[in-house]
């Protein structure tokens, strides 16, 4: 049985471990001639919007700014790892775990590669909170890349 991987999704949070996950994604994309999509999710912290008369428009502009900033940061983060490689970019605003799973489904990803920090809880500390949630809900295989600095300690 051969493995068919046509689309790989790599969500990043601009950390060292997500850079490692991106390297894995690029390597596997080369190996399988797969399309690589790099995703980042900005928190939807628009609760500060206090102008109730125009709350919808202010929140919409705020989200647009988050997406533009995310696109810029994504490009700056990916360039040293991916160079001139062709890849798709995705920026979403919302809950990271939910948005990653949603993007995975919408993009019909065959594999998801995510960095695992392990900053909270017992089980989620072992895997990483967002990574753990994504691994339970993703519709495809998930490769978790551990933070090598933490695994060495």
């Amino acid at each position: 049985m051969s493995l068919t991987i046509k689309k790989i999704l790599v969500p990043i949070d601009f950390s060292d471990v997500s850079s490692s996950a991106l390297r894995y994604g690029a390597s596997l994309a080369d190996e399988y001639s797969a399309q690589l999509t790099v995703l980042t999710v900005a928190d939807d912290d628009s609760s500060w919007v206090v102008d109730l008369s125009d709350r919808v428009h202010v929140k919409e502009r705020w989200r647009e700014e988050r997406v533009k900033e995310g696109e810029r940061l994504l490009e700056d983060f990916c360039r040293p790892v991916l160079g001139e490689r062709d890849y798709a970019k995705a920026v979403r605003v919302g809950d990271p775990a939910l948005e990653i799973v949603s993007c995975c489904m919408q993009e019909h990803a065959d594999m998801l590669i995510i960095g695992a920090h392990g900053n909270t809880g017992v089980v989620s500390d072992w895997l990483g909170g967002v990574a753990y949630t994504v691994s339970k809900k993703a519709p495809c295989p998930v490769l978790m890349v551990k933070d090598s600095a933490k695994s060495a300690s």
Side-chain angles (χ1 to χ4, degrees):
M1 179 173 124
S2 67
L3 193 58
T4 302
I5 299 174
K6 294 181 181 176
K7 292 185 175 184
I8 298 172
L9 177 65
V10 181
I12 62 165
D13 63 1
F14 308 105
S15 65
D16 289 343
V17 72
S18 65
S19 180
S20 295
L22 185 56
R23 288 186 209 311
Y24 273 95
S27 179
L28 286 170
D30 285 347
E31 184 73 26
Y32 288 94
S33 299
Q35 174 189 335
L36 179 64
T37 299
V38 183
L39 165 70
T40 191
V41 181
D43 286 332
D44 186 11
D45 185 23
S46 58
S47 59
W48 56 268
V49 177
V50 292
D51 182 0
L52 298 178
S53 64
D54 195 20
R55 185 178 176 98
V56 172
H57 291 99
V58 170
K59 187 173 180 177
E60 199 173 283
R61 283 193 307 269
W62 182 88
R63 288 176 69 89
E64 288 171 4
E65 289 174 14
R66 299 274 59 83
V67 169
K68 284 181 186 175
E69 178 69 7
E71 289 170 347
R72 185 189 63 74
L73 291 170
L74 193 65
E75 182 70 33
D76 291 346
F77 185 83
C78 291
R79 189 177 305 115
V81 176
L82 301 178
E84 297 301 317
R85 171 193 310 275
D86 186 35
Y87 65 99
K89 302 171 197 81
V91 178
R92 294 188 175 210
V93 178
D95 176 85
L98 296 177
E99 292 298 329
I100 292 166
V101 171
S102 173
C103 184
C104 191
M105 288 191 268
Q106 289 173 353
E107 294 291 323
H108 303 287
D110 299 303
M111 176 173 268
L112 191 147
I113 303 172
I114 188 168
H117 295 280
N119 291 328
T120 61
V122 177
V123 173
S124 61
D125 190 33
W126 178 56
L127 293 174
V130 171
Y132 178 68
T133 302
V134 167
S135 72
K136 292 190 327 184
K137 297 182 182 218
C140 66
V142 176
L143 171 63
M144 287 200 221
V145 178
K146 280 185 70 174
D147 185 346
S148 60
K150 286 188 181 192
S151 62
S153 58

